[in-house]
Each structure stands twice: as structure tokens, then as C-alpha cells.
Amino acid sequence: MTSADNRFTRVLAAATLSNVGDGIRMVALPLLAAATTRDAFAVSALTAVAFLPWFLFGLPIGALVDRSRPERFMVWANTARTALLAALAVALLADLRSMTLLYVLAFLLGIGEAAYDNAAQSLVPRVVADEKLEKANSALITAERVGQDLAGPALGGLLFALSPALPFGLNALAMALGVLLLARLRTTAPTPVTPAVSEGRVVRTVLTDAVAGMRWLWQAHYVRTIVLTGTALTFFTMAWEATLVLLARGPMGVSETGYGVMLAVGAIGGVAGALATPALVRRFDRRALQIAAIAVTAALDLALAAFPTPALAALAWGGTGAAFAVWNVLSVTLRQRLVPAGLLGRVNSANRTFSMAAVPLGAITGGAVADAFGLRAPLWLAAGALTVLTVVYAALTRTGPAREPSSDSDSEPEPDKVAERP
């Protein structure tokens, strides 16, 4: 095994532990909130608080990642999350709990997650050869789907039933092991595209860097198209996924157990899509695969809108999961190839911030459309919008930028001369 392979193995192992821990917490924290209060708004607000750090700090975190070594942020983030989760486990053993404590914890963990996830995507092209990026991102997204959608939630519910402290203690242990795996990893920090400044101007400079990153993204036609298309894909998919439970439990007559099976099929579809992407890339053009991913999602939405049956709902959920996985592997890889190293953290943060905003906005839109026009209306909306999006994306990416930068590019190139179309 080469040194590069060994470094990526460490990154993948740390990501697997982190994602399993996140999956455990995603189930255990709401269960703890429900055991602490019966106020529905107070429980739902916990999710909003967990997402808030992305909106507040996502872009500044990206600017900081661009000025340092990504693995350093990953180690700091997991160290802080280990301490927070261990403290919560101890508090629960002492029977100390309150919603205020959970809000503070969720907010701080959200900051750590934003820092870790951003830095992880910036780290991959530093430890993986360019020709292996699809395979590496496929493995990472597979670990994410298995950890957050399958293994983690199953463990979280089981452990919480045994003791409320157990899932958080195991989550802390997973984070600590991730720290050990990454502690000896070393990469070279990129040369910032903005000059260094004195310590007294750090905050202002970080904000300036964040604005500069957004300006670059807005001027970079190809990368901007990828980011905005992914945001639109998330928005319209969430419009129907947010109300699917009502369609399934109502007109479709799906049982509670059947609905859980549908969600599991979606998770399996996501894993299958991520695993299949490297093989698909060897046989098909990357742009064609991206277009196909959007088109498949549109077709499945249309089919389910026309024929809302349990079997087709499971197929649509699983197929959408697979298409999203293919899109995500390719879009992450494209950003890593097309964006200069000194800007990658900020562009990753912008992409994640847009996606995070698309989730609640899409869900709210879908709910409003369902209330006004019926439970199948969000599916019709998504099918129509994504059909248009398929055509628009194909047209906008028909001609790619002029050249591909070297993988160690540290300077800020002209946005429209980043890379040729893959």
C-alpha cells in the first residue's frame, strides 16, 4: 500500500466512525428531547438549532479552512465534539437534563460538524490522486449513507432504549478514534488567494475572504451551474419527500412498518448509487451521468405522481437515493478538480449552505402546495421542474471552461478558465 493509499485509508476510517456517530446522534438526540419535554415546537426547534451554524458560520469556516491544513480542522472539530458528547453522557448518568442544555449542545455540535464536513471535502484532493477522486468520493459517500441512514440510526435507537447515556458515550468514542486516525496526517497548506494580515484584523479578513469566495463562485460559470443545479435538485425533491408520509399513510394505505421499509430502501439505493458511480464513470461521460441523474429523478417523480402505489413509492425513494448519490459523487469530484485549492473550502461551504437552505424551503413549499392542490401536487411540481432542470443543465454545460488547472494550483485563476468539461 502506498503512502497516499494509507493516508486515504485513515481519512475513510475516520469518516466512517464520524458518520456512524452522527447517525447514532441523529436518532438519540430527538429521542432525548422527546423524553425531556412534550412540547412539539420545543422538540422541532432542536433540529433548526442544529442546522443554524451552517447559515451563520458556513462561509467563514470555509475561509478559515482555505488558510490552513484541512486535517487540522477535522482534528479540532472531532476533539471538541468528543468533549461535548462525553460531557452530555456524564450529565445523563447524573440525571441532569434540560432543553436549554440540548439547544446549546446541538448548536455547538453543529459548528463542529460544519467545520469537519467542509475540511473533509477540501482534504480529499490533497491525499488522493486526481484519477482516483471518483473512487475516493464514492467510498466516502457510501460511508456517509451507511453510517447516517442505516447503521447509525439502528444503533442509536437500540442504545437509547438501554440507557440514554449510551448512544452519546459511543458517539464520543467514535469521534475520539477518528481524532487518533487523523492526528498524524500532514498535508501542505495552500497559499491563500488573499494576503496574510495581522492578528487584529482576522475577523474582518475572514469575512472578506468569504465574500471573495462567493464572488469567484458567481463568476465561475461551470462551477456555479453545478452548485445551483444541486441546490434546485434538493429543493424540488424535498418538496415531495417532506409530504410523502402523508401520501403513504393516507391514500396509499402504507402501514407504519411499510413506511419504515420504504425509507430503508431509499438508504440502500443511496449506497448502491455511490458504489456504482466509479464503474459508471469508466463507461460513460461524466456530464451524461449528471444529466441522467436529474432525468431519472424527474421520471420517478412523474411515475409516482401518476401511479401512487407502495411498490412504486419504494422504487421512487430508492431510485432517487441512487440518483442523488451519483450526482453527489460527481459534483463533489468536479468541485475538487475545478476549484483552486486556496478557494475550495469557501466553495464547499457555499454549496453546503445553499443545500441546507434548500431543505427547509423545499419542505415548506411542498407542504403549501399539498395543502392547496392535494398530496400528489408536490410530485407533479417536482417532476415538471426537474424535467426543465435537466434540459437547462444540459444546455448550460454543453461547452466547458477552457483549461484544467494543475492539482497544486494555489492562485486564483480566471473563473471561466478553470477546466475543460469532464
Side-chain angles (χ1 to χ4, degrees):
M1 181 179 291
T2 66
S3 175
D5 290 337
N6 182 60
R7 290 198 299 175
F8 178 70
T9 299
R10 286 175 172 270
V11 172
L12 179 60
T16 301
L17 288 166
S18 181
N19 282 303
V20 170
D22 287 344
I24 291 172
R25 189 178 68 254
M26 286 167 60
V27 169
L29 200 57
L31 287 174
L32 180 58
T36 304
T37 179
R38 292 299 180 183
D39 187 324
F41 178 80
V43 173
S44 64
L46 190 64
T47 300
V49 170
F51 277 97
L52 190 58
W54 273 105
F55 296 103
L56 296 179
F57 307 119
L59 291 175
I61 285 172
L64 289 171
V65 169
D66 283 339
R67 287 182 165 270
S68 184
R69 301 199 314 268
E71 70 275 11
R72 179 179 295 174
F73 278 84
M74 295 167 72
V75 168
W76 290 347
N78 269 11
T79 300
R81 290 195 288 176
T82 297
L84 289 168
L85 290 162
L88 176 61
V90 172
L92 291 174
L93 288 173
D95 201 25
L96 299 174
R97 66 178 73 176
S98 72
M99 287 306 298
T100 300
L101 172 64
L102 296 186
Y103 289 143
V104 172
L105 182 84
F107 185 78
L108 294 177
L109 289 172
I111 296 175
E113 184 176 0
Y116 185 94
D117 289 353
N118 183 299
Q121 289 191 354
S122 296
L123 176 64
V124 172
R126 297 170 185 271
V127 299
V128 175
D130 182 83
E131 66 274 11
K132 295 182 178 180
L133 281 176
E134 278 93 3
K135 184 177 180 181
N137 286 316
S138 168
L140 289 169
I141 289 177
T142 298
E144 181 179 342
R145 296 279 61 84
V146 170
Q148 293 191 18
D149 296 342
L150 292 174
L155 279 173
L158 175 64
L159 293 172
F160 190 87
L162 295 174
S163 168
L166 266 179
F168 303 104
L170 185 59
N171 194 175
L173 178 61
M175 296 293 174
L177 292 174
V179 170
L180 295 177
L181 286 166
L182 296 171
R184 296 177 60 187
L185 197 63
R186 294 289 185 274
T187 63
T188 303
T191 302
V193 297
T194 50
V197 294
S198 62
E199 187 175 345
R201 295 178 57 199
V202 167
V203 173
R204 186 168 65 180
T205 302
V206 167
L207 294 177
T208 300
D209 283 359
V211 171
M214 287 297 295
R215 185 183 302 116
W216 183 92
L217 175 60
W218 189 251
Q219 294 173 349
H221 164 77
Y222 204 91
V223 179
R224 183 184 74 235
T225 300
I226 294 169
V227 170
L228 294 182
T229 300
T231 302
L233 186 59
T234 299
F235 177 91
F236 288 110
T237 299
M238 282 306 303
W240 70 265
E241 286 189 357
T243 57
L244 179 63
V245 63
L246 299 176
L247 182 65
R249 296 286 290 133
M252 288 168 52
V254 177
S255 67
E256 293 178 352
T257 301
Y259 185 69
V261 171
M262 283 171 50
L263 299 186
V265 169
I268 293 170
V271 172
L275 288 173
T277 302
L280 292 173
V281 167
R282 288 194 293 270
R283 296 192 61 183
F284 303 104
D285 176 72
R286 292 175 176 85
R287 172 174 169 268
L289 288 172
Q290 287 184 297
I291 294 170
I294 307 171
V296 165
T297 304
L300 290 170
D301 293 351
L302 180 62
L304 185 56
F307 307 102
T309 65
L312 195 52
L315 176 63
W317 192 269
T320 299
F324 255 85
V326 172
W327 171 270
N328 286 336
V329 170
L330 293 174
S331 63
V332 168
T333 303
L334 283 166
R335 290 200 307 272
Q336 290 167 345
R337 284 189 173 131
L338 304 185
V339 181
L343 284 162
L344 184 56
R346 281 166 280 178
V347 173
N348 285 336
S349 284
N351 177 78
R352 190 66 180 267
T353 300
F354 292 160
S355 294
M356 289 291 187
V359 171
L361 292 176
I364 291 171
T365 300
V369 169
D371 280 341
F373 303 104
L375 291 174
R376 288 198 283 176
L379 282 161
W380 290 114
L381 171 65
L386 294 182
T387 299
V388 173
L389 184 66
T390 303
V391 176
V392 171
Y393 184 79
L396 291 177
T397 58
R398 187 172 52 229
T399 302
R403 65 179 179 84
E404 183 171 349
S406 61
S407 60
D408 60 352
S409 173
D410 294 324
S411 59
E412 182 174 4
E414 298 176 42
D416 285 331
K417 294 184 178 179
V418 180
E420 62 182 24
R421 180 174 61 79

